[in-house]
């Protein structure tokens, strides 16, 4: 008996895996009902479920009169069931991708064996012995389907399979699963034994030059009507579903390529066959194009196969320049040419064409070979690791642990090579500033980690180091190295056998401290501290870096922790987290804070609340720097946590004043005005000055568009800010009935002292969605020179004017306007205010710059008329710009003798004839003939004739205004 026949017999004798459901099963035995069911948009049961149920019913064993289990009977009912299963598969167009995905190996094996039987394949003949060219088209196609499935199943079985999580143990289910597993293994064993025959059958199919046909539901019906029909329609060349030769060859080539590729793991020469088949598949796909209905190839997977074959078996006509970097690296590894691998990696540091994961996998492979006893690879491992480290540095990643381990014992050769890699990896002419900065920081860190000054001098005197670092930075680094702890080796002449001596404890401590400074991984920081405390109990490692700063309100609590390791760990985690938050590295900050929170929760409720407060501040910053910039509101959970912080009444909890500031600013920025004005608890207004100020700001904003009642809240806000900006002697008046906000002005809970407080809070409130700001300028000599939005709501006088700190007010106003313009530089109101400030402080050139800029932004660079509320009579640039021309001022200015600005070149911009006539008289009186002629020429322009209609005169004035303002703008912008 052939292997196929034995396989079919084993499959057909299998027991069903699931109990039958005959309620719908008997109903579908009729042909018309099955076809109607399959034509439904979403048939239930699905087609593949029908196949399983039909075949399970057909293979159900029988029991004779002696209660002995017998094979399934070959009766009419079972033959109809098998035919129905074949018809469902025909409905699915015999798509192996669908069938393999949904059917188990035993079920699909049974189905294809039935197809072989119904297609007249002789049961006792091997497929490899049959001539496909002489067989009927449907018979040949059935053989191809079976053998394609055979090698695809073998390939699929070589892939790792994720084990499903077992459910509750049930004996019957476990028995069924075990039976199916054993049956699958038996079928796979048969398929693998006949794998070579299956490959030969498929190779022979590639030589066919005729189209093939596969059974459809109609041809299967014809077979069922007259099974013995051999010369009828089912055997002709036009029966069934037509499969074009190119489609068949494309599918077969792909399946053969996958089989050859799988065999290549044990026989590398077979990769050449796989490459040939995959590239032929690509050619056939290009030929077939979108016309194919039956050829389904996963083109992404095919591209991956082709790329892998290019690496494993490059074509013979390729040169080294044409090979991809992957291929070059693979060839070098196979030939043992490791120095070329190093060269490729150095070149790739400029192009970034090789993924970091691939480079790391090459290093791991070299490490494994070195650990197997190949000591010659130690140097190569360092060189490849150095190349990878420089690549990491250029892309802003941290230094790897492998590099630190390999660089524990530096020597001249290692440093020379590292400098060579750094030099060849940076194109100084094209490199960005951030890339140069990364490289400079790396070289500085390498110097700081070296114990021998001669190696430091090797790096600091290198051309790349000199180029990237300024003289002051290099000198500071060298001085820092000289003044380091006594463990630094100051000997200029190295001892020959120094690196053969095991590293001392002090050297190990230095290396670990260096790693401690660089690491932002909480787990790694903990491990380093455990190692350091195991080496010495005399050091306080939270003092290793002077950059580790913790607010003073926290440091007292942290440094009071009795356990030295816990104290160091909490301090360093918080310091690093605060630093990461400052530089907007929010992801690392969150990791560090979360680790610190988990640690302190075990022993200190006070520090736990501190960490929760800091994590709240971090989440506020994260939102403001992320989605908040696009206007997306913060999640309700974050708003609730901010409220919870403001309403917190836990005693003895160290509080940072900046958190209260940020929380109030957060509520204002996101328009939580209802909470601040109506819902905030009364005790908060008495105890938290920022909430009080926030309430006043929110109330003023809320009522700003309203009637005159808004002046009451504005007055309250005015009085509070006046007190903030008052001189320090005012706080001594404790019984005057003033707002308690100001009573403890110099305490940590009061508004911060002097203008620093106003600036730090109001500057933040201007951020993002906070759309209005207020200010006042008290000096009497310039009070009328400053304008502002909503200035009418503020009081017009101050009772105790002598107590106001005018310097604080002036600086606050300037900083507010500067910050507002940094947020919206095209706000003409704020530009006018900035100009007024410069004008009031006698900085006329700067004032004119901002007056012109304000006019430009609201008039399309003076192509439209400037709105009258922008250029009022107080902001008139020329006397003739006024609604009523100020001839007195104009004539007085023209009489000045110190004019050296070539003012006659601006006569074409004057449209008032009276001023031009006065200029003519003035130049005649002074004997300035040339200038007099220019003025006369300007008067003589027909569009300035007084007899012209008013519209013409206005148009002439507008044209000259536009040209004059644009000319002025070009001088100042």
């Amino acid at each position: 008996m052939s292997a196929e026949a034995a396989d079919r017999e084993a499959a057909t004798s299998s027991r069903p895996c699931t109990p039958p459901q005959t309620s719908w099963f008997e109903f579908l035995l009729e042909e018309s009902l099955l076809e109607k069911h399959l034509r439904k948009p979403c048939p239930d049961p699905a087609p593949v479920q029908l196949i399983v149920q039909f075949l399970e019913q057909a293979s159900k064993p029988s029991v004779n009169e002696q209660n002995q289990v017998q094979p399934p009977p070959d009766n009419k009912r079972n033959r109809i069931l098998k035919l129905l299963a074949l018809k469902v598969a025909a409905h699915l167009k015999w798509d192996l991708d669908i069938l393999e995905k949904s059917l188990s190996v035993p079920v699909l094996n049974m189905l294809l064996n039935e197809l072989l039987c119904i297609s007249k394949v002789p049961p006792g003949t091997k497929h490899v012995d049959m001539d496909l060219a002489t067989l009927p088209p449907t018979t040949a196609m059935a053989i191809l389907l079976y053998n394609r499935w055979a090698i695809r199943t073998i390939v699929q079985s070589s892939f790792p399979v994720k084990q499903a999580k077992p459910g509750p143990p049930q004996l019957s289910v476990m028995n069924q699963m075990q039976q199916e597993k054993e049956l699958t293994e038996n079928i796979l064993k048969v398929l693998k034994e006949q794998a070579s025959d299956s490959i030969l059958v498929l190779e022979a199919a590639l030589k066919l030059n005729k189209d093939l046909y596969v059974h459809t539901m109609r041809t299967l019906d014809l077979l069922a009507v007259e099974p013995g029909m051999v010369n009828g329609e089912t055997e002709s060349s036009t029966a069934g579903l037509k499969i074009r030769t190119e489609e068949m060859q494309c599918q077969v080539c792909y399946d053969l390529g996958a089989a050859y590729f799988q065999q290549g793991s044990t026989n590398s020469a077979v990769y050449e066959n796989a490459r040939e088949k995959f590239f032929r598949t690509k050619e056939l796909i290009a030929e077939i194009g979108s016309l194919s209905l039956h050829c389904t190839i996963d083109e992404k997977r095919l591209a991956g196969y082709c790329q892998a074959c290019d690496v494993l078996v490059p074509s013979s006509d390729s040169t080294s320049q044409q090979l991809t970097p992957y291929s070059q690296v693979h060839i070098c590894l196979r030939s043992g040419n490791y120095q070329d691998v190093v060269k490729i990696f150095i070149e790739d540091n400029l192009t970034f064409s090789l993924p970091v994961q691939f480079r790391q996998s090459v290093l791991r492979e070299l490490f494994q070979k070195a650990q197997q006893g190949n000591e010659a690879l130690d140097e190569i491992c360092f060189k490849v690791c150095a190349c990878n480290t420089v690549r990491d540095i250029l892309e802003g990643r941290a230094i790897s642990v492998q590099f630190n381990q390999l660089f524990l014992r530096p020597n001249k050769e290692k440093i020379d090579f590292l400098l060579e890699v750094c030099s060849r990896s940076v194109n100084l002419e094209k490199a960005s500033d951030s890339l140069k900065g990364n490289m400079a920081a790396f070289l500085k860190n390498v110097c700081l980690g070296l114990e021998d000054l001669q190696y430091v001098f090797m790096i600091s005197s290198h051309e790349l180091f000199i180029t990237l670092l300024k003289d002051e930075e290099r000198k500071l680094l060298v001085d820092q190295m000289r003044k380091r702890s006594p463990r630094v080796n100051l000997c200029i002449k190295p001892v020959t056998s120094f690196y053969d001596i095991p590293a001392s404890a002090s050297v190990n401590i230095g290396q670990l401290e260096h790693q401690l400074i660089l690491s932002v991984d909480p787990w790694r920081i903990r491990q380093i501290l455990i190692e350091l405390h195991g080496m010495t109990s005399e050091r306080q490692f939270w003092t290793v870096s002077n950059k580790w700063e913790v607010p003073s309100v926290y440091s007292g609590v942290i440094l009071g922790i009795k356990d030295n390791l816990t104290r160091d760990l909490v301090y360093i985690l918080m310091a690093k987290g605060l630093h990461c938050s400052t530089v907007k590295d929010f992801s690392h900050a969150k990791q560090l804070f979360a680790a610190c929170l988990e640690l302190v929760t075990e022993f200190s409720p006070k520090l736990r609340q501190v960490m929760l407060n800091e994590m709240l501040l971090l989440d506020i910053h994260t939102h403001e720097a992320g989605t908040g910039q696009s206007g997306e509101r913060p999640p309700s959970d974050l708003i609730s946590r901010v409220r919870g912080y403001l309403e917190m009444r836990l005693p003895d909890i160290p509080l940072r004043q900046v958190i209260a500031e940020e929380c109030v600013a957060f509520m204002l920025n996101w328009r939580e005005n209802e909470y601040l004005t109506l819902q905030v608890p009364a005790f908060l207004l008495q105890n938290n000055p920022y909430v009080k100020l926030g309430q006043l700001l929110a109330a003023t904003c809320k009522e700003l568009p309203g009637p005159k009642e808004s002046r009451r809240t504005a007055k309250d806000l005015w009085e509070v800010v006046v007190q903030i900006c008052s001189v320090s002697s005012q706080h001594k008046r404790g019984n005057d009935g003033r707002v308690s906000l100001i009573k403890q002005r110099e305490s940590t809970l009061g508004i911060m002292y002097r203008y620093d407080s106003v600036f730090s809070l109001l500057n933040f409130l201007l951020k993002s969605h906070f759309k209005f700001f207020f200010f006042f300028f008290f000096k009497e000599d310039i009070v009328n020179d400053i304008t502002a939005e909503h200035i009418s709501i503020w009081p017009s006088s101050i009772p105790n004017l002598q107590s106001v700190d005018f310097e604080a007010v002036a600086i606050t106003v300037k900083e507010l306007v500067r910050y507002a313009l940094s947020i919206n530089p095209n706000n003409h109101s704020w530009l006018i205010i900035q100009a007024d400030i410069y004008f009031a402080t006698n900085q006329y050139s700067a004032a004119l710059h901002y007056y012109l800029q304000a006019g430009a932004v609201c008039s399309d660079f003076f192509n439209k008329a400037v709105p009258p509320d922008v250029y009022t009579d107080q902001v008139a640039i020329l006397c003739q710009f006024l609604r009523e021309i100020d001839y007195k001022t104009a004539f007085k200015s023209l009489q000045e003798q110190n004019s050296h600005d070539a003012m006659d070149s601006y006569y074409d911009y004057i449209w008032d004839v009276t001023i031009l006539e006065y200029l003519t008289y003035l130049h005649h009186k002074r004997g300035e003939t040339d200038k007099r002629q220019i003025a006369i020429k300007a008067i003589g322009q027909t569009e300035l004739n007084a007899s012209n209609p008013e519209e013409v005169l206005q148009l002439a004035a507008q044209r000259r205004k536009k040209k004059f303002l644009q000319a002025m703008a070009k001088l100042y912008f």
Side-chain angles (χ1 to χ4, degrees), residues 147-206:
N147 287 280
R148 280 185 55 213
W149 168 76
I151 66 170
R152 286 162 66 107
T153 304
I154 295 171
V155 171
Q156 188 66 32
S157 68
S158 66
F159 298 153
V161 178
K162 184 179 181 180
Q163 297 294 331
K165 292 183 178 179
Q170 297 181 10
L171 185 60
S172 59
V173 175
M174 293 176 65
N175 289 337
Q176 292 173 0
M177 292 175 61
Q178 183 62 29
Q179 289 177 9
E180 183 173 348
K181 181 180 178 182
E182 292 176 356
L183 185 56
T184 300
E185 291 175 353
N186 291 336
I187 294 173
L188 276 173
K189 181 180 179 181
V190 175
L191 294 179
K192 290 177 181 178
E193 289 174 355
Q194 67 184 27
S196 58
D197 287 350
S198 294
I199 289 175
L200 289 175
V201 170
L202 296 180
E203 288 284 5
L206 296 178

Side-chain angles (χ1 to χ4, degrees), residues 879-909:
C879 294
Q880 59 179 350
F881 275 63
L882 298 170
R883 293 181 179 86
E884 295 182 6
I885 298 176
D886 186 358
Y887 290 112
K888 179 179 178 182
T889 303
F891 295 161
K892 182 179 179 182
S893 301
L894 293 174
Q895 290 174 4
E896 294 179 359
Q897 296 294 321
N898 58 350
S899 176
H900 301 288
D901 58 355
M903 66 178 185
D904 53 309
S905 62
Y906 293 97
Y907 288 176
D908 285 339
Y909 303 127

Side-chain angles (χ1 to χ4, degrees), residues 45-190:
V48 289
Q49 293 175 331
L50 288 175
I51 294 175
V52 174
Q53 296 292 344
F54 286 144
L55 293 179
E56 285 181 349
Q57 287 291 318
S59 62
K60 184 177 181 180
S62 62
V63 180
N64 61 13
E65 296 178 353
Q66 289 77 29
N67 289 327
Q68 295 176 337
V69 178
Q70 300 291 326
D74 186 15
N75 53 28
K76 180 179 178 181
R77 179 179 181 276
N78 285 348
R79 286 196 296 271
I80 292 176
L81 288 170
K82 295 175 183 177
L83 180 64
L84 290 175
L86 292 171
K87 291 177 71 173
V88 176
H91 171 75
L92 298 174
K93 297 183 173 59
W94 300 98
D95 190 331
L96 287 181
D97 289 334
I98 296 176
L99 297 174
E100 290 171 340
K101 184 178 180 180
S102 305
L103 300 179
S104 64
V105 171
V107 173
L108 190 49
N109 176 69
M110 191 186 313
L111 178 70
L112 293 176
N113 275 290
E114 291 301 328
L115 176 64
L116 292 173
C117 291
I118 206 167
S119 299
K120 310 295 191 300
V121 177
T125 308
K126 288 187 175 183
H127 296 169
V128 72
D129 297 332
M130 303 178 72
D131 185 3
L132 297 178
T134 62
L135 293 175
T138 51
T139 304
M141 193 64 198
I143 292 174
L144 289 184
L145 274 172
Y146 179 85
N147 287 280
R148 280 185 55 213
W149 168 76
I151 66 170
R152 286 162 66 107
T153 304
I154 295 171
V155 171
Q156 188 66 32
S157 68
S158 66
F159 298 153
V161 178
K162 184 179 181 180
Q163 297 294 331
K165 292 183 178 179
Q170 297 181 10
L171 185 60
S172 59
V173 175
M174 293 176 65
N175 289 337
Q176 292 173 0
M177 292 175 61
Q178 183 62 29
Q179 289 177 9
E180 183 173 348
K181 181 180 178 182
E182 292 176 356
L183 185 56
T184 300
E185 291 175 353
N186 291 336
I187 294 173
L188 276 173
K189 181 180 179 181
V190 175

Side-chain angles (χ1 to χ4, degrees), residues 657-715:
Q657 136 179 316
V658 67
I659 302 181
E661 287 184 44
E662 297 277 357
C663 285
V664 174
F666 176 85
M667 301 294 279
L668 284 167
N669 284 343
W670 295 105
R671 306 293 178 87
E672 294 293 322
N673 293 337
E674 290 295 327
Y675 173 78
L676 289 172
T677 56
L678 301 176
Q679 302 175 23
V680 62
F683 76 89
L684 277 182
L685 300 178
Q686 298 298 324
N687 300 329
N688 194 323
Y690 295 103
V691 175
K692 177 63 179 178
L693 187 56
Q695 182 193 52
L696 294 172
L697 285 167
T700 305
C701 287
K702 185 178 176 182
E703 299 180 8
L704 189 61
K708 293 183 179 179
E709 285 77 10
S710 63
R711 292 187 177 182
R712 187 181 66 180
T713 57
K715 181 181 179 182

Side-chain angles (χ1 to χ4, degrees), residues 929-949:
T929 306
D930 294 341
K931 293 184 178 181
R932 178 174 176 272
Q933 289 299 321
I934 294 173
I936 292 174
K937 182 180 178 181
I939 295 175
Q941 297 178 80
T942 56
E943 57 188 354
L944 297 183
N945 192 316
S947 300
N948 289 334

